[in-house]
Amino acid sequence: MAKFRIKRYNPEKQAEPYYEEFDYDIPEGATLLDCLNHLKWNVDGTLTYRMSCRSAICGSCAMKGNGHALLACQKQAAHLLKDGSDTITIEPLGNMPVIKDLATDFQQFWDKVDQVKPYLQNKEKPPERERQQSPQQFRKIDDATTCIMCGACYSDCNVLEVDKNFLGPAALAKAQRFVGDSRDQATRDRIKELSKPGGMWDCTHCGECVERCPKPAEPFYRIKELMAVGLEEGVTNNVGARHALSFVKSVKHSGRLNESKIPIESMGYFNIKGLLDLVPVGLRMLLKMKIPPIIHKPIDDAKDVRRIFEEFGE
Amino acid sequence: MIKHDVLIVGAGLAGMRAALEVCKDLDVGLLTKVYPSRSHSGAAQGGIAASLGNSEDDSWEEHMFDTIKGGDYLSDQDAVEEYVKAAPKVIYELEHMGCTFSRTEDGKIAQRSFGGHSKPRACFSADRTGHAILHALHEQVLKNAKSIKIYSEWYMHQLIVEDGRCGGVVVSNIRTGEVEVIHAKAVVFATGGYGRVFQITTNAFAGTADGAIAAFRAGIPLEDSEFVQFHPSGLYRQGILFSEAARGEGGYLLNGKGERFMEQYAPSRMELAPRDIVARAEQSEIDAGRGVDGKDIIHLDLRHLGEARIMERLPQIRQLGIDFIGVDCVTDPLPIQPSAHYSMGGIPTDMFGQVVIDEKGTPMKGFFAAGECACVSVHGANRLGTNSLLEATVFGERTGRSALKYARNAEFSKVNESHEKARVLNQVEEIFQRDGSESYNDIRNEMKEVMMAKCGVFRDAEKLKSCIATIQDLKERYKKGKVTDKGQLFNTELYEIIELGNMLEMAEIISTAALARQESRGGHFRTDFPKRDDKDFLKHSLVSRNESGMELKYKPVVITRYQPKERTY
Ligand SMILES: Cc1cc2nc3c(=O)[nH]c(=O)nc-3n(C[C@H](O)[C@H](O)[C@H](O)COP(=O)(O)OP(=O)(O)OC[C@H]3O[C@@H](n4cnc5c(N)ncnc54)[C@H](O)[C@@H]3O)c2cc1C
Ligand code: SF4
Ligand code: SF4
Ligand code: FES
C-alpha cells in the first residue's frame, strides 16, 4: 500500500494549503496520472489537476513528485517509491501561483513565451514551393521544437525563485528555436533582446531544467547555443557579459573566480561540463576583445583548468 | 456579453488554421477547453499527406483515388477532389509559417510511405508531425494577438440558434465557473473527435463529442456516425498509440499461443495489411480466447529486431513502452489491442465548411464546422493515415474563409442573453441537485465497456440492440449521479460530468446508426452482414432526434471520377 501525500489548496474553502494523504495500492504498470485518476474518480472528486493526452505530448499534467517537476502521465508511480519509502509527495509546479490543488496559473509562463516573439520572422516573399532547409539546418532546431510547454523546467528553475523577471528556460528554448532556424532573419534583434536583464545571461547554468525536461528540448543546452550565437554576434553590451569578461580572465589565471571582482551573490549554481563546452568560444571572443560568458563557482584544481585551456589551444 | 465577428470553438489544427484566415479582416474569438498547444492534434505522429512528389512522382489524381478506395467508396468525390488539390498549397503555407519538417538531402520537405497510400506522400516532422504543425499555427496565432483573442480553458456548452440562424454560443470560464454568452455573426466548430466514448482509445481525455452534441441538440443531424476507425496497435488498457512504424519495421503480431496469426487472415501482407483488417484479425483472436493469458492482449513483438535496430528506428516506441506500461520492447513483447482512433462521421458540412441541416443540403446560416468534428465527407467509411491532419488544415483554411465571407456581410442576430445563460446555469444547478445514488465513474466505465464490446470492431444486430438498451439505461442512471465538488473554481469534476452526458448521447447515436447500416464497409463491420452492399447502402446516414427517439435519414454519395469497385489490397 502506498501513501499519496497530496498538497491540497482550495481558496473557496480554506485560505491555506495543506497536505492530505490517500492510500492506494499501485497497480502494476500504473502511471502517476492513473493513480490520481483513480483517486479522483473513486475517492475524492474535488481533487484537481490538468490532463489530456496521457501520452506525454500535450504538456497538461506537469506537477511535482517528491519535490521535482515531472509529467504525471509519463511517470510510473512505483518508480517514485524510492529507498523503501511508502510515500509519494505530490505538489503543484513551483514558480507559479496555484489556482486549486495541482492546477497552477500559467499566465506568466505564457507572457514570457510571448516576449521572445515566438514566431518566424522573414520579410522576403515566400517562394511558390517550400523554403529550402538542409537536414543539418533542421537538426539545429530539432531539439528545441520538441518542447511541449509543460512548464516543468520553469517550475524548478532556481533563478526564477529569486528573480521573477527572468525569461526562464522554456521561453529561452523557444527563442533558440528561432535563432537557430535558417529561415529566420531576426537573429540580431532577437539576441539583443535576449541579452537584456532577465535574458539569457541571467541563467546560472545549474542544469536543473535539463534534469526536469521530459523532452529533448533540454533548455539549458539551448541557452548555451544562444550564448554562443550572442558571442559570435558580439552583442555584449550588458552586465552579464561584462561579468563574463572578468570571469574568463580570472579562471584562466587561477582556476577561480576573483570574488572581489565578481559579486558572487549574483550567481549561485554551477555546471562545470556545460561551461567548459563554452570555454573555446569564450576564449576566442576574449582574444578578439569580444566578451565571453559567465560562470559561477570556484574550481578546485586550478592546474586542471589551465590545462583544459591549453588543450583548447587558446 | 462578449462579442466577436467570428467565434471559433476549438484550437487544434482546424480551429487555429481557420482563425488565421478570419483574422485577416475581422476580429476573432478562439475558444478552447485546454490551452491551444494542448489540443489533441499535437499527438499525431505519422505525417500529413500531400502529393508534393518530393521523393517520387505523384499527382493529386492518385491521392484522390487512394483516399476514395481507402474510404470504401463512401467519400463525396467532389469534396475529395478539392481537398487533394489544395493539399500541396497548404503544406507550403505551413512551411512558410515556420513549421519544421524533416528534409531531404537537397533541402525539400521529406516524404515517406504510409498505409493505403500508393506513393510516399506523408510529409513529417520526425515522429511528431501534429505537434510541429500545432505549434507553428499557435505561433502565428500569438503573432496575430491583436485580432485573435484566445479564451484558453473556456468550455463551450451550447449553440445559440434562433430562426434557423446561429447567433453565438454559451460558454463558461473553467477557472472561475462564470457563464457567459458569446455573441458572434458566425460560429465555427473545430472541436475534434470523440474516441473517448470507447473503453480503449488513442484519443485524449478531451475527445468527448462536445461539439457534435451541441450541434445535435440544436437540431442538426450527425452524419455517418457509425464509422469509427480502430487502430491495431493501441497499448493494452491505455490505448496509447504505437505508430504503424513498429509493424513497418518488421514487428510481429503474436497471439497467446505465440503464433503469427496474420497468416490466417492476410497471408501475403501479414502484419502490413490495412488497419481495419489487422484490427479485425486481432479481435478475432481475442474473441476466440487466443489472447495472451486469456486477456484482451495481442503481442507486438520487436525482440528479433535487436536493440540496435530498435534504438535506431523506433526509439520513441521503446520509450513509450517503458514509460507507460513499464515494458522494454528490447526484452519483452509489447501488449497491444485494437483501439478506437478516429471518428469519420460528424457534423455535416458542404465542401466549404458550411454546416447543412438535412439531406437536401439546406445550410444553417452562420454555422460552420471543420476538422475531425465535421463530416465533409472526404474519408468516407475509413480514413487513411495522414489524411486527417490534412483535412483539419485544408478545411480549417476553407472554413475560415467561408466564415469570413459570411460575417463580412452579416449583422449580429438577436440573442436573448439571460435566457441563453439560464439554460446552462439551470443545467449546472440540476447536476448539483441530483440525488447522488449513482457513481459517474461506474456509468462512464460501463458506457465505454459496452461500446467496445458491442459496438466495436465486430457488430451485429443483437449486440447493437443490447448496446442501445444499456446506453439508454445508463442515461437514466446518469440523472442520479453523485457530485462531490460544488464549487465554482476550476471544477474539473463538473466538466467531466457534462462531458459524460455528451458521450452518452454520442454513444446512442453511433450504435443507432450502426444498427441501421446492414452491411460491412470500411470501419463498420457487421458479422450478420459481412459484405458491402452498394445497392442499399451506398449512402450517408443522418441521425437526428425527434419526440419519439432517434430518427434516421440518408443522403446520396457524390460520385464523380471513380465508380465503386471491390476494395482489395
Ligand atoms: C494518437 C493519434 C495519432 C494520430 N496521428 C495522425 C497522423 O499521423 N496523421 C493524421 O493525419 N492524423 C492523425 N491522427 C488524427 C488527427 O490527429 C486528428 O484527426 C486531428 O488532429 C483533429 O484535429 P482537430 O483540429 O479537428 O481537433 P483537435 O486537435 O482534437 O482539437 C479540438 C479542439 O477543440 C477544443 N474543444 C473540444 N470541445 C470543446 C468545448 N466543449 N469547449 C471548448 N473547446 C473545446 C479542444 O480544446 C481542442 O482545442 C491521430 C490521432 C491520434 C489520436
Ligand atoms: S540552467 Fe539556467 S534556465 Fe535552466 S534551470 Fe538553471 S538557471 Fe534556470
Ligand atoms: S523545455 Fe522541456 S520542461 Fe520546459 S516547457 Fe518545454 S518540454 Fe517542458
Ligand atoms: S496528459 Fe498530456 S502530457 Fe501528461
Side-chain angles (χ1 to χ4, degrees), chain A residues 37-286:
Chain A
N37 284 340
H38 171 85
L39 296 176
K40 181 175 180 65
W41 293 336
N42 297 287
V43 184
D44 182 356
T46 66
L47 183 62
T48 301
Y49 46 91
R50 293 186 179 95
M51 58 154 179
S52 187
C53 71
R54 54 84 173 99
S55 57
I57 191 69
C58 78
S60 298
C61 67
M63 56 186 68
K64 278 189 180 175
N66 296 338
H68 299 296
L70 46 76
L71 295 180
C73 72
Q74 196 187 30
K75 194 81 194 170
Q76 287 287 304
H79 295 176
L80 287 164
L81 289 172
K82 266 187 305 221
D83 310 325
S85 157
D86 67 345
T87 304
I88 301 174
T89 302
I90 307 296
E91 295 162 311
L93 292 180
N95 291 327
M96 300 182 200
V98 179
I99 301 172
K100 183 176 170 187
D101 293 345
L102 305 170
T104 52
D105 181 349
F106 267 70
Q107 192 56 47
Q108 283 181 6
F109 174 90
W110 287 111
D111 286 348
K112 287 173 181 176
V113 171
D114 255 345
Q115 269 183 48
V116 304
K117 301 210 169 117
Y119 41 81
L120 192 78
Q121 298 185 52
N122 185 323
K123 294 222 166 60
E124 278 161 38
K125 190 172 171 294
E128 290 267 303
R129 296 180 62 105
E130 68 267 53
R131 291 194 182 98
Q132 306 282 300
Q133 182 169 61
S134 69
Q136 293 72 20
Q137 288 169 326
F138 170 75
R139 240 165 269 139
K140 279 195 175 168
I141 52 173
D142 194 13
D143 288 337
T145 58
T146 62
C147 170
I148 56 173
M149 298 288 170
C150 67
C153 56
Y154 193 93
S155 160
D156 289 17
C157 170
N158 297 295
V159 173
L160 279 163
E161 266 169 46
V162 291
D163 180 7
K164 292 288 166 225
N165 288 324
F166 181 45
L167 279 172
L172 288 167
K174 189 74 171 173
Q176 190 277 331
R177 179 249 166 280
F178 293 103
V179 166
D181 194 327
S182 58
R183 303 167 296 176
D184 191 271
Q185 297 176 326
T187 304
R188 214 186 145 75
D189 286 347
R190 290 183 189 278
I191 290 291
K192 257 196 197 152
E193 282 298 315
L194 294 170
S195 299
K196 288 183 176 163
M200 60 180 170
W201 300 104
D202 283 7
C203 160
T204 59
H205 305 235
C206 70
E208 190 69 19
C209 52
V210 173
E211 291 294 308
R212 299 304 148 227
C213 182
K215 295 278 148 181
E218 304 182 319
F220 174 57
Y221 298 139
R222 309 288 82 78
I223 295 171
K224 265 181 9 186
E225 286 160 9
L226 284 175
M227 289 173 166
V229 177
L231 292 165
E232 300 278 355
E233 290 276 324
V235 183
T236 50
N237 190 13
N238 65 81
V239 186
R242 258 182 270 124
H243 279 314
L245 173 62
S246 43
F247 157 72
V248 170
K249 277 185 184 158
S250 74
V251 172
K252 189 173 186 186
H253 177 70
S254 61
R256 280 175 183 282
L257 291 178
N258 181 333
E259 297 179 20
S260 66
K261 280 188 194 151
I262 301 175
I264 203 76
E265 66 272 17
S266 71
M267 308 159 185
Y269 307 87
F270 182 57
N271 173 327
I272 184 157
K273 185 175 164 293
L275 284 166
L276 290 178
D277 289 351
L278 271 176
V279 164
V281 186
L283 284 176
R284 231 169 24 241
M285 293 306 127
L286 183 63

Side-chain angles (χ1 to χ4, degrees), chain A residues 9-13 27-31 33-34 37 40-60 73-76 79 99-100 103-107 109-110 113-114 118-121 126-136 138-139 141-143 145-151 174 177-178 181 183 215, chain B residues 34-35 37-40 42-44 52-54 92 94-110 125-126 128 131-132 135 138-140 142-143 145 153 175-176 196 201-207 237-241 316 319-326 439 441-442 444-445 484-493 496:
Chain A
Y9 174 60
N10 181 353
E12 275 184 329
K13 287 195 171 157
E28 206 188 312
T31 63
L33 182 63
D34 294 333
N37 284 340
K40 181 175 180 65
W41 293 336
N42 297 287
V43 184
D44 182 356
T46 66
L47 183 62
T48 301
Y49 46 91
R50 293 186 179 95
M51 58 154 179
S52 187
C53 71
R54 54 84 173 99
S55 57
I57 191 69
C58 78
S60 298
C73 72
Q74 196 187 30
K75 194 81 194 170
Q76 287 287 304
H79 295 176
I99 301 172
K100 183 176 170 187
T104 52
D105 181 349
F106 267 70
Q107 192 56 47
F109 174 90
W110 287 111
V113 171
D114 255 345
Y119 41 81
L120 192 78
Q121 298 185 52
E128 290 267 303
R129 296 180 62 105
E130 68 267 53
R131 291 194 182 98
Q132 306 282 300
Q133 182 169 61
S134 69
Q136 293 72 20
F138 170 75
R139 240 165 269 139
I141 52 173
D142 194 13
D143 288 337
T145 58
T146 62
C147 170
I148 56 173
M149 298 288 170
C150 67
K174 189 74 171 173
R177 179 249 166 280
F178 293 103
D181 194 327
R183 303 167 296 176
K215 295 278 148 181
Chain B
V34 300
Y35 279 86
S37 64
R38 318 232 190 280
S39 299
H40 201 51
L52 306 184
N54 280 356
Y92 296 140
L94 289 173
E95 197 282 331
H96 297 157
M97 286 176 191
C99 182
T100 49
F101 285 106
S102 296
R103 301 286 177 151
T104 62
E105 278 311 313
D106 54 352
K108 291 190 220 153
I109 294 173
S125 185
R128 42 172 202 282
H131 170 86
H135 282 259
H138 189 213
E139 289 157 13
Q140 293 300 308
L142 293 175
K143 185 178 174 189
E153 303 196 318
R175 182 153 169 193
T176 63
R196 278 278 143 193
T201 176
T202 64
N203 286 195
F205 282 104
R237 285 196 327 216
Q238 305 250 15
I240 293 170
L241 183 73
Q316 192 74 12
Q319 200 58 46
L320 283 172
I322 293 172
D323 289 342
F324 297 115
I325 204 152
S439 140
N441 191 45
D442 291 349
R444 185 168 41 226
N445 287 341
T484 39
D485 195 344
K486 296 189 181 175
Q488 291 271 306
L489 184 77
F490 219 95
N491 187 341
T492 48
E493 187 190 42
E496 285 181 356

